Amino acid sequence: MVTLNSDSRPIIGRGPPLGASFFILAVLSVTAMVLDHRGGYLETARLWMGAALHPVYVVVQAPYDLWNWLNGSFTDRAQLRRHNEQLTEELRQARIRLLQFDALNEENRRLRAIRQASAGLAERTQLASIMHVDVDPFRHRVRIDKGAGDGVFRSQPVVDAFGIVGQVAAVDQYSATIILISDNQHAIPVQVNRNGIRSIAVGTGDVSKLILPYLTVQSDVRVGDLLVSSGLDGIFPAGYPVAVISQIDRIPSATFAIVEARPLAQLDRDREVLLLWGEEPASAGEIAESRNPDAASPAGPAHDGVAAAEHRR
C-alpha cells in the first residue's frame, strides 16, 4: 500500500528566505571587490574571461566590420578613380605646356640665331613673320606681316640665320611679298668664297637647287665651295652666305660647265625672316617707285634672272 507524505507546504516556499540569500550574495560581492581592489586577485580571472568571450565579440562584430570594409573599399576605389582622372588631366595639361615651351624655346633659338648671324650686316634690321606661302609650285614667293607702314621697300634684302632668303618684290601698307632666291625669275650675283670668282646664281624653281650658268669649264670651282653675295648688285650685303656648290659637270666640248648649288637659307622651313636696311634709307622717289613698279623699268636680281634666261635662249 502506498502512503503519501503528509507535508503539504508549497515547494516555492522551501529553502532559506530571499532576504537571507540576498544578504549572503551582497557580502560575497563586497568581499570580492575589496580583495580585488587591494590585491588584484580577480585580474587573472578577468583576463581568462575576456579571452573566453573574445570569439563571441568577433562573431558579433563581424557583420559591422564587413560592412565598413565593403563601404570603404568602394569609396577608396571611387576616390582613386577620381584622383587618377585628375592626375591624367594634369599630366595632359603639363605635356601641352611642355610642347608650348619647346615651341617657344625653338622660336627663341631661331630668333637669336637670326640676330647673331645678321650682326653688322646693316644699320637697321627688323624681324618679320611669314603669313602666307604662294601655292603655285612655279612661284617661290611668301608674304610677310610687315609693309610700307614699317618702312619696307621694294628690292629690300631678306635673310635668315643661315643665308640669303630673297628680296622684297611687292609692298603694300601692311604686308609685303618676298621672292625667294630659288624662284626661276630670280638671280643674285655671287662669288666663290675660296678664290673670289664671281658669277650669278639663278633660281630653278626648286628650293634645294640653284644653277650658275656662266662658269666656264676652266673655272676653278669645286664641290663644297661656299658662295657668298658679292654685293655688286647694290641690293644684298656683300659676304653673306648664299649657297654651297653641290654638283659640277664639265663637258670638254662645251664652253660653260653645269654647276649646281644648294641654298643655305631654310627656304621651305623659315617662319621668321630678317629685313635689312642699308646705311642710307630709301628716298621718297624710290619708295614711290616701289609703290608704282609699272612706272619704272625692272631692276635688281629679279631682272638679272630674266636677262640671264633671255641670254641662255
Side-chain angles (χ1 to χ4, degrees), residues 6-273:
S6 60
D7 189 1
S8 58
R9 291 179 300 174
I11 297 176
I12 298 177
R14 294 178 182 179
L18 294 176
S21 300
F22 175 78
F23 176 77
I24 294 172
L25 293 175
V27 171
L28 292 176
S29 299
V30 171
T31 302
M33 286 187 293
V34 171
L35 293 175
D36 181 57
H37 177 71
R38 293 186 176 183
Y41 297 105
L42 297 181
E43 183 68 24
T44 303
R46 279 198 299 268
L47 292 178
W48 284 102
M49 186 177 295
L53 293 178
H54 180 71
V56 178
Y57 174 79
V58 171
V59 172
V60 174
Q61 187 71 15
Y64 180 75
D65 292 340
L66 179 61
W67 171 255
N68 287 338
W69 179 80
L70 292 175
N71 188 28
S73 178
F74 285 110
T75 302
D76 293 342
R77 183 174 299 178
Q79 290 178 352
L80 287 175
R81 184 180 296 108
R82 289 193 298 268
H83 189 59
N84 188 29
E85 292 175 353
Q86 181 181 358
L87 290 178
T88 302
E89 181 63 23
E90 291 178 357
L91 179 61
R92 184 180 299 110
Q93 294 177 0
R95 286 178 176 175
I96 293 175
R97 288 194 294 268
L98 181 61
L99 292 176
Q100 293 174 344
F101 175 78
D102 290 341
L104 292 175
N105 189 34
E106 180 64 20
E107 181 180 357
N108 289 335
R109 185 192 64 78
R110 293 197 308 268
L111 296 180
R112 286 196 300 267
I114 292 176
R115 287 295 189 186
Q116 292 174 359
S118 62
L121 281 178
E123 292 294 322
R124 174 189 168 196
T125 61
Q126 185 174 20
L127 281 169
S129 299
I130 295 177
M131 301 186 304
H132 172 74
V133 177
D134 200 324
V135 296
D136 187 344
F138 301 103
R139 288 167 54 91
H140 291 189
R141 308 193 181 198
V142 297
R143 180 167 289 273
I144 59 174
D145 61 349
K146 296 293 185 292
D150 303 290
V152 179
F153 55 91
R154 190 181 177 208
S155 298
Q156 184 174 10
V158 182
V159 302
D160 68 4
F162 303 95
I164 291 178
V165 173
Q167 61 177 298
V168 176
V171 185
D172 58 34
Q173 185 64 24
Y174 302 105
S175 63
T177 299
I178 298 174
I179 179 172
L180 305 182
I181 60 173
S182 59
D183 191 284
N184 56 13
Q185 295 184 5
H186 190 278
I188 175 174
V190 296
Q191 66 182 54
V192 179
N193 191 54
R194 177 172 57 86
N195 52 25
I197 293 179
R198 293 190 297 270
S199 184
I200 296 177
V202 181
T204 62
D206 184 349
V207 294
S208 63
K209 184 172 66 175
L210 304 177
I211 59 173
L212 286 78
Y214 306 114
L215 287 174
T216 62
V217 175
Q218 294 80 17
S219 298
D220 180 17
V221 292
R222 307 171 187 172
V223 173
D225 278 345
L226 173 65
L227 301 177
V228 298
S229 55
S230 65
L232 298 179
D233 55 357
I235 296 178
F236 295 100
Y240 202 73
V242 177
V244 172
I245 295 179
S246 58
Q247 182 177 346
I248 302 175
D249 292 330
R250 291 183 171 92
I251 303 175
S253 60
T255 303
F256 297 100
I258 301 175
V259 182
E260 297 180 0
R262 174 178 54 83
L264 292 175
Q266 297 183 344
L267 303 179
D268 57 344
R269 302 180 186 179
D270 281 327
R271 294 182 181 179
E272 300 87 12
V273 293

